[in-house]
Amino acid sequence: MKLDIMTLLVMNLIIVAVSVWATAILWVEHRRRYRGTGFWLASMVCQSAGLSLVLLKGLVPDYASIVLANLLIQSGSVGLLAGFAAFVGESAGQWRNVALLALFTGAMAVFTYLRPDMQARQITVSVVIILIMSQACWLLFRKAPPRFRAITNLAGYVLSGYIAASALRIAMTLANPLHTNDFFISGVADALAITLYTTLNACLSICLTLVVNRRLLADVQALKDEMEVMATHDALTGLPNRSLFRDRFAVALENAKRGGTMLAVMSIDLDGFKQVNDTLGHAAGDELLVQAAGRITGVLRRVDTVARFGGDEFVLLLWELETAQAAGLVAEKVLASLRSPFLLDGTAASVTASIGIALFPQNGDDAEGLVKKSDQALYLAKADGKDGFRFSS
């Protein structure tokens, strides 16, 4: 069994050495983009150094091949946990794990020099692995923000494997007590544990690469979505812009033609907006626009659209109207919603609105034409004294 366990350890060391190389590439390419890759690299280096010292047993003192070697391997586990915490943006303090490593080192020293007992050492190693990996699994499955769980869940399953392998090692060691202090002839429990750890180390190396790549793809998609929103929405209010309004109008028009219903396009201008800008400043004016957008949106149906074309000009698209009067009722609701004073940085400001309404099919069947006619009706509403609406003729 001596050759078997040593061979398994050499295979494990080769896997970890490859992991060092792969993690180093991740760190070089993504260290400025993602936190945590440095901890992962340090983790793999610690494990590689620890396994190397284990293989040097007999050539170096026991404190190096047993105590220091196992401390390095367990420090690698803590580094892995710290890396995942940084990667998902959680401030997982590691002081308790530093204390755990101190206790672990003391226990290993006792079971190496004062009361030599390899079985106690192996159980201690397995217990500490379970404690550290349990924290990592809790982090990845429960504590990490939901947007990260789909990215890191595979790694969580691999780390769960370390817990299962360590628990199995404890059970087998207790069921078949050791009668030797020579690790290389310790028996089936350690051979099986090393085999499982080697397999899990290979899977972990792959998982770390997948985790980074999956996050990179998610970030690229999020950036793409953000750019699409910026291209189709007003930056200040978040409302659709002209481009998205035209797209929605095309869909609404086809729906109206199939169903034989009417559409309404409303142009809205805030009366007194320039005065607010001039007296309270542009920041107050921007806040007024944001609040006005919220009030207008609040009186519409979900199917309807309110867009901002620029300045204090809002344009509404109302779907599936049976009569022109229905558009008038919506206009009344919009006017009423805007009459209440706006609180702008502690100052109350009152504005009203003027609305022009154009209808499909009475006033045309294209977006630009209907917007133009609703604008003309808007000017008539302003000429009539503001705070009212007019239909396009």
Side-chain angles (χ1 to χ4, degrees):
M1 187 63 73
K2 180 176 181 179
L3 178 61
D4 290 340
I5 288 185
M6 183 172 289
T7 301
L8 290 172
L9 283 173
V10 170
M11 292 176 59
N12 198 359
L13 178 59
I14 293 172
I15 293 294
V16 174
V18 172
S19 298
V20 170
W21 171 76
T23 311
I25 293 176
L26 289 180
W27 177 74
V28 169
E29 293 184 352
H30 302 287
R31 66 184 185 277
R32 291 186 177 88
R33 183 179 292 111
Y34 302 132
R35 296 171 58 230
T37 55
F39 285 113
W40 292 341
L41 177 58
S43 169
M44 297 303 173
V45 170
C46 284
Q47 292 190 51
S48 178
L51 287 171
S52 298
L53 287 176
V54 172
L55 287 169
L56 291 175
K57 182 174 173 56
L59 301 176
V60 297
D62 284 350
Y63 73 81
S65 64
I66 298 176
V67 179
L68 180 58
N70 281 283
L71 176 60
L72 285 169
I73 293 172
Q74 298 293 13
S75 296
S77 299
V78 173
L80 186 67
L81 168 60
F84 277 115
F87 186 79
V88 301
E90 288 292 327
S91 56
Q94 298 299 325
W95 290 109
R96 62 179 177 274
N97 287 322
V98 172
L100 178 62
L101 289 178
L103 291 174
F104 170 75
T105 303
M108 294 299 289
V110 168
F111 295 134
T112 301
Y113 294 107
L114 300 181
R115 290 179 52 195
D117 187 337
M118 196 184 72
Q119 179 170 294
R121 293 202 305 265
Q122 304 308 71
I123 292 175
T124 301
V125 167
S126 299
V127 168
V128 173
I129 291 175
I130 291 173
L131 291 175
I132 296 172
M133 292 305 177
S134 295
Q135 295 176 58
C137 290
W138 176 261
L139 169 71
L140 297 180
F141 290 134
R142 302 292 297 176
K143 192 176 180 182
R147 67 189 182 94
F148 284 115
R149 293 177 195 168
I151 296 173
T152 59
N153 58 359
L154 185 59
Y157 295 132
V158 173
L159 299 185
S160 299
Y162 286 96
I163 298 174
S166 299
L168 178 62
R169 185 184 193 184
I170 293 173
M172 293 183 66
T173 301
L174 292 176
N176 298 281
L178 299 176
H179 301 290
T180 178
N181 277 325
D182 187 346
F183 175 65
F184 292 110
I185 58 172
S186 56
V188 177
D190 284 332
L192 179 59
I194 295 170
T195 302
L196 292 175
Y197 290 148
T198 301
T199 303
L200 290 167
N201 284 340
C203 293
L204 179 61
S205 178
I206 296 170
C207 276
L208 292 179
T209 302
L210 289 176
V211 162
V212 172
N213 288 336
R214 289 168 75 176
R215 181 169 177 184
L216 186 61
L217 289 174
D219 288 348
V220 169
Q221 184 60 48
L223 180 60
K224 180 181 177 182
D225 293 342
E226 182 180 353
M227 293 178 65
E228 289 179 354
V229 169
M230 292 175 62
T232 58
H233 288 75
D234 173 57
L236 176 63
T237 63
L239 295 177
N241 61 14
R242 288 177 182 267
S243 176
L244 184 54
F245 179 87
R246 286 194 294 267
D247 291 343
R248 292 187 178 180
F249 178 87
V251 176
L253 181 63
E254 290 301 317
N255 182 75
K257 288 179 178 179
R258 286 196 304 269
T261 57
M262 298 170 58
L263 293 179
V265 173
M266 292 186 182
S267 291
I268 303 174
D269 188 80
L270 299 181
D271 307 320
F273 174 73
K274 184 176 184 303
Q275 183 180 1
V276 171
N277 252 349
D278 292 342
T279 58
L280 300 180
H282 290 290
D286 288 345
E287 178 60 24
L288 173 59
L289 292 174
V290 172
Q291 292 186 30
R295 292 189 187 186
I296 295 170
T297 302
V299 301
L300 299 182
R301 301 169 298 175
R302 293 184 63 182
V303 70
D304 298 326
T305 296
V306 54
R308 182 183 177 220
F309 277 22
D312 60 331
E313 181 184 5
F314 298 93
V315 180
L316 275 59
L317 172 63
L318 308 182
W319 288 48
E320 299 178 343
L321 301 177
E322 297 296 334
T323 64
Q325 287 73 19
L329 291 175
V330 174
E332 287 284 7
K333 291 180 180 179
V334 171
L335 292 172
S337 72
L338 296 173
R339 289 185 185 119
S340 300
F342 293 84
L343 188 62
L344 307 175
D345 194 22
T347 301
S350 296
V351 298
T352 57
S354 298
I355 300 176
I357 306 173
L359 301 172
F360 164 82
Q362 293 92 323
N363 303 124
D365 62 358
D366 68 283
E368 297 300 329
L370 288 173
V371 170
K372 183 177 180 179
K373 290 189 175 182
S374 67
D375 279 341
Q376 293 171 349
L378 168 65
Y379 296 135
L380 294 176
K382 283 186 173 293
D384 284 346
K386 304 178 181 178
D387 193 21
F389 66 91
R390 287 286 299 270
F391 283 94
S392 176
S393 58

